[in-house]
Amino acid sequence: DKIDCLGDYLLKMYETQKLSLAMCVGDNADCSGHWDEELGAITSQFDRLEGKVKYTTVPGNHDYTNNCKESRDLSWYNKYFSPERVKNYSYFGGLYNESGTQNSYYLFTESGVDYLIMCLEFGPDDSVLEWANEVVSLYPNRRVIVTTHGYIDADGEFLSSKKLHCPSAYPWNNVVETN
């Protein structure tokens, strides 16, 4: 199966290159209505990494019901990447809210360097970005990595709500440049 290649590759990188963290930046499913099949397959590959490679994931526009065009429904995504699941990770930091993992953070140390991994949903609104800033301010001595789906377009421009089917105005400078 093609999806097995993901787990095979990451485990090979763990064994040969000492890969310690994988970050998935969304589109875990393809918005095709086969949510159980698609999200079940991808989480089974992440399950293979348990105890070896740490990983984080964020939802892409295809992970939202109706491709994020009419609603911000992530019920399928949060069924498979549930708060209960991520709270068991030794590197889990916290959630924006307890109903989902689309905005979360993780604390990770590699080769003596402390990191804060901010995982932000596709098209985060201002309250999520304010929360992200608050979290970053709690860890001033950590290097910060922000993961999201859809940050810069193919032309090198920041994505905006005008270009995408999401409500956010994408005020990324409020997070990235501030910190």
Side-chain angles (χ1 to χ4, degrees):
D1 193 278
K2 289 183 181 180
I3 195 67
D4 291 337
C5 293
L6 171 66
D8 294 344
Y9 175 78
L10 292 173
L11 289 170
K12 181 179 179 182
M13 291 298 99
Y14 164 74
E15 293 166 1
T16 62
Q17 304 295 316
K18 300 188 184 337
L19 175 72
S20 56
L21 176 70
M23 294 178 284
C24 180
V25 294
D27 288 349
N28 300 282
D30 195 26
C31 207
S32 63
H34 302 283
W35 299 103
D36 280 319
E37 179 184 339
E38 293 174 359
L39 291 169
I42 194 73
T43 54
S44 72
Q45 294 307 302
F46 285 122
D47 289 345
R48 294 175 61 195
L49 305 179
E50 295 294 334
K52 297 175 182 152
V53 179
K54 296 168 181 65
Y55 63 91
T56 63
T57 183
V58 296
N61 57 307
H62 290 205
D63 297 313
Y64 290 83
T65 304
N66 196 23
N67 202 23
C68 198
K69 292 179 182 172
E70 295 175 12
S71 75
R72 302 284 292 170
D73 180 20
L74 282 168
S75 55
W76 284 103
Y77 176 85
N78 282 308
K79 175 182 176 183
Y80 286 90
F81 296 104
S82 68
E84 295 77 25
R85 179 184 180 101
V86 302
K87 285 180 179 180
N88 288 321
Y89 302 166
S90 62
Y91 48 100
F92 172 74
L95 300 170
Y96 173 68
N97 67 49
E98 294 297 315
S99 65
T101 61
Q102 60 268 30
N103 299 296
S104 53
Y105 71 93
Y106 303 85
L107 304 169
F108 169 70
T109 300
E110 179 59 40
S111 301
V113 180
D114 295 327
Y115 293 94
L116 165 64
I117 313 298
M118 290 299 313
C119 296
L120 303 176
E121 67 183 306
F122 177 67
D125 65 26
D126 289 343
S127 66
V128 171
L129 296 176
E130 289 170 15
W131 168 80
N133 274 326
E134 290 170 13
V135 171
V136 170
S137 71
L138 295 174
Y139 300 96
N141 297 321
R142 288 184 175 265
R143 293 186 181 176
V144 179
I145 299 172
V146 177
T147 59
T148 191
H149 180 83
Y151 174 64
I152 297 177
D153 67 17
D155 297 323
E157 300 292 325
F158 288 113
L159 290 177
S160 69
S161 57
K162 293 175 186 166
K163 293 182 179 182
L164 303 169
H165 299 290
C166 283
S168 175
Y170 276 83
W172 287 113
N173 293 348
N174 295 341
V175 175
V176 176
E177 290 183 5
T178 301
N179 297 295

